[in-house]
Amino acid sequence: MYCKTLSSQLAAQEEKKLARKREKLVGDGLPRLLTGDEFYRSVVDHNNVADAEVAARESCQQERDERASLMKAWKEEDAKRLERNEVHRQEYKEELRQWEEERAKAKLERRRMTHVKPKLGRLEAPLQKPALAHIDKEEDESDDSKEEY
């Protein structure tokens, strides 16, 4: 049991070392033939990986900026909607207050009410929040794969 746990921990450590970004091409201190084909390929691969990481970071930053601007516009629209709903509620409360006064007056005069109690009615529903672009793409791809079967 102990050996099994220890071997799984060692395997996890090795995977972690492999997953870690290698920034140095010559990190072990051993001599290398810098003009050799193998070292040249490793340098080219390293540069390609670094360029891909930079491009990925830039695209993520661009998506983040787009989402922030969309969320800012959404929040402004939502604030306007909340204001309109609040105005609608205030109008309803005023109508209800007037109706209650009229009802009290009708009670004193021992007569029936001529109109029904006012209702609040439907308020504006919130707008849907803007979705992330990469999530939409993944959902489209998963929908396409379901259609194939």
Side-chain angles (χ1 to χ4, degrees):
M1 179 140 174
Y2 175 74
C3 291
K4 186 186 268 186
T5 306
L6 187 61
S7 67
S8 66
Q9 287 176 350
L10 286 173
Q13 280 181 348
E14 290 174 2
E15 288 176 15
K16 188 175 180 182
K17 281 184 182 179
L18 292 175
R20 190 172 33 179
K21 289 191 289 185
R22 277 187 50 192
E23 294 184 11
K24 295 181 181 179
L25 292 173
V26 185
D28 57 0
L30 297 176
R32 298 270 191 276
L33 178 61
L34 300 180
T35 57
D37 291 337
E38 185 177 323
F39 184 76
Y40 180 76
R41 278 193 298 274
S42 67
V43 169
V44 170
D45 290 342
H46 178 73
N47 289 339
N48 290 341
V49 168
D51 292 342
E53 287 177 358
V54 168
R57 268 186 292 212
E58 288 175 356
S59 67
C60 286
Q61 182 63 39
Q62 185 179 6
E63 285 180 13
R64 213 173 297 123
D65 294 341
E66 289 174 10
R67 171 121 170 104
S69 64
L70 288 174
M71 284 301 294
K72 183 178 179 181
W74 178 83
K75 285 181 181 182
E76 290 172 0
E77 288 298 318
D78 198 48
K80 290 176 186 175
R81 176 192 64 87
L82 290 173
E83 274 184 38
R84 290 190 298 266
N85 282 347
E86 188 59 34
V87 167
H88 185 70
R89 281 190 187 99
Q90 293 300 325
E91 291 171 357
Y92 165 73
K93 286 179 182 179
E94 181 60 29
E95 289 175 10
L96 186 63
R97 187 188 58 76
Q98 290 173 356
W99 180 84
E100 287 175 350
E101 288 175 2
E102 189 175 325
R103 184 182 65 170
K105 187 191 262 186
K107 253 186 180 178
L108 289 175
E109 296 173 359
R110 295 184 185 232
R111 64 176 171 86
R112 291 201 128 179
M113 289 288 294
T114 56
H115 61 280
V116 295
K117 183 177 178 179
K119 293 184 173 45
L120 177 61
R122 291 186 64 122
L123 298 174
E124 278 187 58
L127 298 172
Q128 198 171 19
K129 282 189 178 181
L132 295 174
H134 67 277
I135 292 175
D136 292 340
K137 290 177 187 175
E138 291 174 6
E139 288 177 0
D140 291 341
E141 290 173 3
S142 64
D143 291 342
D144 293 340
S145 63
K146 290 177 184 176
E147 291 174 1
E148 292 175 3
Y149 292 107

